[in-house]
Amino acid sequence: MKTNFKKLEESKEYTFEEAAKNWLQNMMVITKESTYSKYSILVKIHLLPDLRQYKLKDLNSVMLEQYLYKKWKEGRLDGKGSLAPSTVRLLACILQSILRFAKQIGYIDTTYGTISKPKLILNEMELFTSEEQKCLEEYIFCKQDLGAYGIYICLYTGLRLGEICALTWGDIYLENSYLKVRRTLQRIQVADPSKDPYGAKTKILIDIPKSKSSLRDIPLTLSMQRLLYTIRLSNPACYVLTGEAEHYMDPRTYQKRFHRYLKECGLKPRNFHTLRHQFASNCIAIGVDVKSLSEILGHSNVNITLNRYVHSNMELKRIQLNKLDPAAIQMTAGKNFF
């Protein structure tokens, strides 16, 4: 796609709106559709309503940091509440990118410093206890439907929601006991619903994963291999969750189904992403090295794995500390310490 930026006028004082619109035009060319959609929505809902009339020369990093702090505390102009720190951090990255782009195309000659972002506070996710996971797995095998089996696959591979929804039988190599992650399926917001023939606000997008590291091969456990042998289909184009080549499982639908499964098991509601956290924590508990786990999860570096996906529960902490305790060591060896 060819980009046509407005002809630069040396004497003109360009506005933030002009820079932002040209930046979005450039992003449409160089980023994935899902990324562009996210950027476009944030610019149109937050940045343009607040900053469109400002001259670029009047902006500075201190002013923008104060603006972002206010967004964090007060949220949108329509009074819909404060924004999550992760959203404000993304707004800061977008602002920085817009201003850098404005300098590249000659709208400004100022180099802005780094715009500070609010600290990202990660809420600790409540994982399943070993008893709860056992209950869920027993339910899955009693349920005997493809959607339930998909939950089991996520528990033992760490697949993301979009990855399990996009998984086809052509991605599974049972003879060699591994599966490939090559696509993700997600529902994204339509950047401009007026241009959609049906005026839709969202649509399903099947695309490659968000990063190069997300393209990966995941080994299958023996139990997983046996399960997949019993339910596999001969058509490689068929989706694992639906058993059909023409129909996929909408991620929203699958999330609702997951919540229904938990309710039928008598378990507390949890986010679908809990399955991925559960897999990571279970791997750490049995001694899987972090480097291997990071590659299985599709992370670009091990710090992401350690900081976001590895949760040490009380049972695991007790086991680890008991390695320091002579009484526990002797008891484990079958000796009477007393």
Side-chain angles (χ1 to χ4, degrees):
M1 184 183 296
K2 188 177 180 180
T3 57
N4 295 304
F5 304 124
K6 292 181 180 179
K7 187 177 179 180
L8 304 184
E9 301 172 28
E10 291 184 9
S11 61
K12 183 172 179 179
E13 295 181 345
Y14 292 93
T15 64
F16 175 82
E17 180 176 20
E18 290 172 299
K21 288 183 175 179
N22 277 321
W23 178 82
L24 280 176
Q25 187 180 354
N26 187 55
M27 289 297 106
M28 187 185 293
V29 178
I30 65 174
T31 62
K32 293 171 55 179
E33 184 178 356
S34 56
T35 303
Y36 171 76
S37 172
K38 182 185 295 184
Y39 289 168
S40 177
I41 295 298
L42 288 174
V43 168
K44 291 175 182 177
I45 289 180
H46 295 287
L47 299 183
L48 285 183
D50 298 338
L51 303 173
R52 64 166 23 109
Q53 297 305 324
Y54 280 91
K55 296 286 194 299
L56 287 173
K57 68 180 183 64
D58 295 330
L59 297 175
N60 59 69
S61 57
V62 174
M63 172 191 171
L64 293 175
E65 286 171 7
Q66 291 173 347
Y67 162 72
L68 289 170
Y69 181 81
K70 188 174 181 181
K71 293 294 290 183
W72 182 24
K73 293 299 181 182
E74 299 179 11
R76 289 166 48 167
L77 291 175
D78 56 13
K80 290 200 174 180
S82 60
L83 300 178
S86 57
T87 302
V88 180
R89 288 172 65 87
L90 183 53
L91 286 174
C93 291
I94 291 173
L95 273 172
Q96 193 92 56
S97 183
I98 290 173
L99 295 174
R100 191 180 301 118
F101 180 75
K103 185 175 187 300
Q104 288 175 354
I105 62 175
Y107 278 18
I108 51 175
D109 55 11
T110 304
T111 302
Y112 290 89
T114 302
I115 300 173
S116 299
K117 310 175 186 68
K119 186 176 293 186
L120 186 59
I121 302 172
L122 297 174
N123 296 324
E124 188 167 347
M125 187 170 289
E126 185 178 3
L127 301 177
F128 297 108
T129 64
S130 55
E131 292 78 14
E132 287 176 327
Q133 182 171 338
K134 183 179 178 182
C135 174
L136 179 58
E137 291 184 22
E138 289 175 351
Y139 168 86
I140 287 170
F141 287 99
C142 289
K143 187 76 174 174
Q144 292 189 344
D145 72 36
L146 295 178
Y149 290 139
I151 302 302
Y152 186 82
I153 293 172
C154 290
L155 269 172
Y156 284 91
T157 60
L159 290 182
R160 301 178 177 95
L161 174 60
E163 292 169 346
I164 185 65
C165 287
L167 190 69
T168 67
W169 283 102
D171 300 320
I172 300 176
Y173 297 79
L174 287 176
E175 290 71 20
N176 297 312
S177 193
Y178 73 96
L179 63 81
K180 288 179 175 287
V181 179
R182 294 296 182 269
R183 290 175 306 283
T184 185
L185 188 155
Q186 57 186 315
R187 182 171 287 279
I188 67 170
Q189 290 181 290
V190 176
D192 189 354
S194 65
K195 293 183 179 180
D196 186 274
Y198 304 102
K201 294 183 179 180
T202 64
K203 70 174 184 178
I204 290 291
L205 178 68
I206 302 176
D207 202 354
I208 60 174
K210 61 182 182 180
S211 65
K212 184 178 179 181
S213 54
S214 292
L215 298 169
R216 62 200 190 277
D217 299 341
I218 302 177
L220 299 174
T221 65
L222 182 59
S223 296
M224 179 76 69
Q225 195 175 14
R226 288 171 177 168
L227 167 64
L228 294 175
Y229 262 121
T230 63
I231 65 173
R232 69 173 174 175
L233 299 174
S234 57
N235 185 353
C238 287
Y239 291 97
V240 172
L241 292 183
T242 63
E244 301 176 33
E246 297 79 16
H247 299 101
Y248 48 74
M249 180 78 73
D250 186 314
R252 289 182 181 176
T253 301
Y254 198 39
Q255 281 181 307
K256 291 177 182 177
R257 187 171 293 192
F258 173 60
H259 293 152
R260 190 177 77 233
Y261 292 155
L262 294 181
K263 186 175 182 180
E264 292 175 359
C265 285
L267 300 177
K268 291 187 292 185
R270 287 174 172 86
N271 189 286
F272 192 94
H273 208 66
T274 302
L275 298 171
R276 185 166 163 85
H277 285 253
Q278 188 78 34
F279 169 76
S281 291
N282 288 346
C283 285
I284 290 294
I286 62 172
V288 175
D289 70 277
V290 178
K291 176 62 176 173
S292 295
L293 177 58
S294 181
E295 292 177 0
I296 291 170
L297 290 171
H299 292 155
S300 56
N301 62 72
V302 296
N303 289 331
I304 297 174
T305 310
L306 288 170
N307 295 334
R308 296 188 180 182
Y309 290 88
V310 177
H311 300 265
S312 179
N313 57 35
M314 184 58 70
E315 182 180 353
L316 178 58
K317 291 173 183 175
R318 184 176 289 108
I319 292 171
Q320 298 300 321
L321 288 181
N322 273 337
K323 293 178 181 179
L324 300 173
D325 186 353
I329 294 171
Q330 291 196 27
M331 189 175 296
T332 302
K335 299 178 181 179
N336 188 354
F337 180 75
F338 300 101

